[in-house]
Amino acid sequence: MYVRSFADGNGDGIGDLAGVRAKLPYLRDLGVDAIWFTPWYPSPMADGGYDVADYRDIDPMFGTLGEAEQLIKEAADLGIRVIVDIVPNHCSDRHCWFQEALSSGPGSRERDRFWFRAGRGKEGELPPNDWSSIFGGSAWTRTQNEDGTGGEWYLHLFAPEQPDLNWDNDDVRKEHEDVLRFWFDRGVAGVRIDSAALLFKDATLPNFDPDNAPAPHPFSDRDELHEVYRSWRALADGYAGDRILIGEIWLPDPERFARYLRPDEMHTAFNFDFLACPWEPERLRASIDATLAAHAPVGATATWVLSNHDVTRHVTRYGRKDTKFEFAAKTSAIPEVDLELGTRRARAAALLTLSLPGAVYIYQGEELGLPEVEDLPTGALQDPMFFRSNGTDPGRDGCRVPLPWDGAEPPFGFSGVGASAEPWLPQPSSWSELTAEGQARLKASMLSLYRDALRIRRSEPELQDGPLRWLNAPFGVVAFGRGDGFMCVLNLSDSAIELPGHAALLLASEPLENGRLPSDSAVWLRSFA
Ligand code: NOJ
Ligand code: CA
């Protein structure tokens, strides 16, 4: 959940914990088991909260620590668990450690918690190496001495407001273990680990060419990471009840990815291969196969993710000619989009993901079928990806627009019934068709489809643990069985198809056409016993 955009409880146009608490019944009715909160800690919001100034408190914009504790309890009473975001790779430049590092000067213990280095060149005017920030520009920023002359440089794989922590330093390890305990002690059921494969750096900080990266990579997927996650797992296992570790791991090699999911490391990690996959039957099937094959040897639960707060919403992706997702391919020239087609495919994708073996992550607004907002006024944009790429990347604000709850025009009840505060990002007026309240009343809405699918997913024993069995299917059709009694059929071909013999139709993403499954739609079937 991206709190800032979920629901506003105090009428200032910014989502907050009071807003979430008021909407917990909505989440229960939707059928979710857990909520992952993106960072809710005090933060200057240089990167939507992923620049954490204090890991043990709540940003005043969102509420108080006491309120978070209450929320955790209220959610638990409704059968919903809370997962918090842990950001170990970097903190905010406002974090007391970084402030202390700046004032303590070169060679200090305080600076050793980060990556401070002298610059190259005669006057140290060049960055220590050629690394680029993931958000664009150099990964180094130079500090200033008190007399105004240039000082050491510090490393930031993301924005300059997010200095990287030095994981070779013991303080850094101890601090994060303590932060984990802090939140586990407050009843959170798990942590989502931000940028989980980036923590360790080659301390010689060599130059490198990203298109021709050496192994081991100087800052990604380094072997030292596993020992840290083993210690986190031991810490989590020391608590009663389930305490789950979820990795944000973008790695192209499924085997390297699966190493993080060995039985004594993380429980699970986001499946970005599947998220990035184009809407093509062979590719989807291959991604599902590769996912299951990578998870099986380590006995980990697979995950299925279609959207999150970092990527173009899938209603929009699936409505384009090029349906895959790739950060590098994002452009400020808005590709043509057919939202009706995208929505139709998103409905089918919901039935696909919700019947695959594993855990499904739903990004807020996905259940309403929200598209990416691609025409936000430049003046409203906040994402450093937009600014640091000099606008060549439109940034991620378009998937972070405040949700439409009810009513016929913006702000669509975002700040409560009748409140008129302007949401922190403007909502399109076309969202009048997509409000939660409006959709709850319509059987054919995306919201009703998600509710129905989640209800059936809970009640069907076949959809719990247990493998998937591919079924023979015509070209362009993806079909699989779960257990003896369940089938999912997804038609990505251009024409309607006959359904396999079945005992009952459980759910369809589109009305059938004379008993046939139309193009870009999916069904759940009960097989003959
Ligand atoms: C991944 C987060 O999901 C993203 O929003 C953030 O910008 C980066 N990590 C850096 O923390
Ligand atoms: Ca608010």
Side-chain angles (χ1 to χ4, degrees), residues 2 36 38-39 47-51 85 87 89-90 134-135 157-159 162 192-196 198 248 250 270 272 308-310 327 383-385 396 400:
Y2 202 73
W36 148 40
T38 62
D47 179 22
Y50 283 95
D51 45 323
D85 215 313
V87 189
N89 181 67
H90 44 266
I134 292 165
F135 287 163
L157 289 183
F158 294 93
Q162 296 167 294
R192 177 266 190 190
I193 306 163
D194 186 69
S195 306
L198 299 180
E248 190 216 7
W250 297 78
F270 298 116
F272 293 115
N308 68 25
H309 64 290
D310 291 331
F327 277 113
D383 185 11
M385 275 190 128
R396 300 163 294 180
R400 299 174 176 178

Side-chain angles (χ1 to χ4, degrees), residues 7-16 61:
D8 171 22
N10 69 349
D12 64 357
I14 303 170
D16 49 39
M61 174 164 110

Side-chain angles (χ1 to χ4, degrees), residues 85-127:
D85 215 313
I86 293 292
V87 189
N89 181 67
H90 44 266
C91 60
S92 163
D93 60 349
R94 296 297 136 127
H95 190 284
C96 62
W97 274 10
F98 193 72
Q99 291 297 316
E100 284 163 23
L102 287 179
S103 55
S104 301
S108 59
R109 176 179 171 178
E110 287 77 6
R111 283 205 177 186
D112 188 54
R113 293 169 175 155
F114 298 90
W115 292 98
F116 280 89
R117 287 290 185 279
R120 289 174 302 163
K122 257 211 194 111
E123 313 282 335
E125 72 281 11
L126 299 172

